[in-house]
Amino acid sequence: MKITDVKSYNLRYPLIEPFANARGWTKTRTAVVVEIRTDAGITGWGEGISVPSTSAIETYLIGHSPFETERIWEALRGNIGASSGVDIALWDIMGKALDMPIYQLLGGAFRLKIPAYASGLFKKEKQDITQALMDEAKGYVDAGFPAVKMKIGFGDAYDVKNVAAVRRAIGDNTLFAVDANCGYDVGTAIDVGQQLADYGLFWYEEPITTDDVAGYREIRHALKVRVAGGEMLQGRWAFRDLLQQRGVDIVQPDVSIAGGFTECRKIAAMASANYVRVLPHMWGSSIRLAATLHWQATLPDAPQALKPIPSLLEFDMTENGLRTELAKQPIHAVDGYVNVPQAPGLGIDINRDVLEKYA
Ligand code: CA
């Protein structure tokens, strides 16, 4: 089988209601989708964050076998944002060619139903943001989610008031993570973390920029909470120091940013060797969500235990047609769990009308 055609789509979905994290307002959701066709009539889909160059496509993809994932990854490694999408599409093709879901090709699933955390609770232009956050959080608990994640990083007054309110709304039995999106420096991150110590947080995500491994170590040693990060890192080299120096308790590679399945397996192996937990980041279209489900299914519990710390899927609760409309089979959370797709490859079919609508 040979690759015959590679096409990229820049998708754009304008939000009805903008929202903010610590770094700025989001008014549009985007996705870079890649479609790879073969002479066997099999088409694969991937999602990255940048478009592969014409010369890379002509030199390293057209005419080559879609099974040469390692070789193609190395050829494209100068643009990991693009190689991520290409790699996911190649695995989609391999799965379809072998009539197997990707999680089987990756070595088999440890779980086919993944417990999810509701990832939302952004800042919005609401008159009473605290009440709005409490209502939103309560809705997630009522829908059966075992965990929620809220955006912080807006200053200690906002963070403490609203974390306290959301904890009251969700009760003591729901796991609760917070995410500062790199909005703080080390001193502020520690100060805010200390003020949040009474609210039983499960993890404190991206308190500072992920480049600052020494800063992460200071925060980890100053606070009792687990520290998480790494969603924007690309390639195994970017993760190396963070893992070897134990900058985080939880590392969060994103399959569409860090390098696709081929690279994320290596990052997961490096995390395992350094006893750092992997909980993938997920913030994208149906393609990235399906890819994340397949990869996360194959991550073993670490440590293995009678009652392991759950491998929680990041389930984006915000409005995004690229996630809810692009696949013909929408991926839902039911009672706080999301099923791993069972059809060959990624296990989803792309709706071309939706693709054209948002392209
Ligand atoms: Ca995040």
Side-chain angles (χ1 to χ4, degrees), residues 23 29 44 59 69 83 89 111 116 135 137-138 181 195 199 208 221 231 235 244 246 263 275 327 336 350:
R23 304 297 291 282
R29 297 295 297 272
T59 312
T69 50
S83 71
R111 58 194 76 79
D135 293 345
K138 178 75 166 46
N181 290 95
Q195 294 188 61
Y199 302 107
I208 60 169
H221 291 148
E231 66 185 58
Q244 284 185 347
R246 306 249 206 160
E263 190 67 359
Y275 300 102
I350 298 302

Side-chain angles (χ1 to χ4, degrees), residues 196-219:
L196 297 178
D198 292 340
Y199 302 107
L201 297 179
F202 192 46
W203 76 77
Y204 185 4
E205 181 169 322
E206 287 197 329
I208 60 169
T209 176
T210 327
D211 300 334
D212 184 4
V213 175
Y216 268 86
R217 285 170 55 87
E218 284 183 56
I219 295 166

Side-chain angles (χ1 to χ4, degrees), residues 117 149 151 179 181 205-206 231 252 281 314:
Y117 68 87
K149 188 168 85 187
K151 295 299 183 183
D179 184 358
N181 290 95
E205 181 169 322
E206 287 197 329
E231 66 185 58
Q252 300 170 298
H281 173 258
E314 177 160 25

Side-chain angles (χ1 to χ4, degrees), residues 70-115:
E70 293 283 350
R71 202 189 55 73
I72 291 171
W73 200 94
E74 288 297 327
L76 301 186
R77 77 183 220 186
N79 184 352
I80 295 175
S83 71
S84 302
V86 168
D87 186 77
I88 292 168
L90 295 178
W91 283 84
D92 190 27
I93 292 169
M94 291 194 292
K96 287 167 175 167
L98 297 171
D99 199 26
M100 277 184 201
I102 288 171
Y103 70 80
Q104 278 190 335
L105 296 184
L106 289 170
F110 290 93
R111 58 194 76 79
L112 287 174
K113 269 172 68 163
I114 303 189

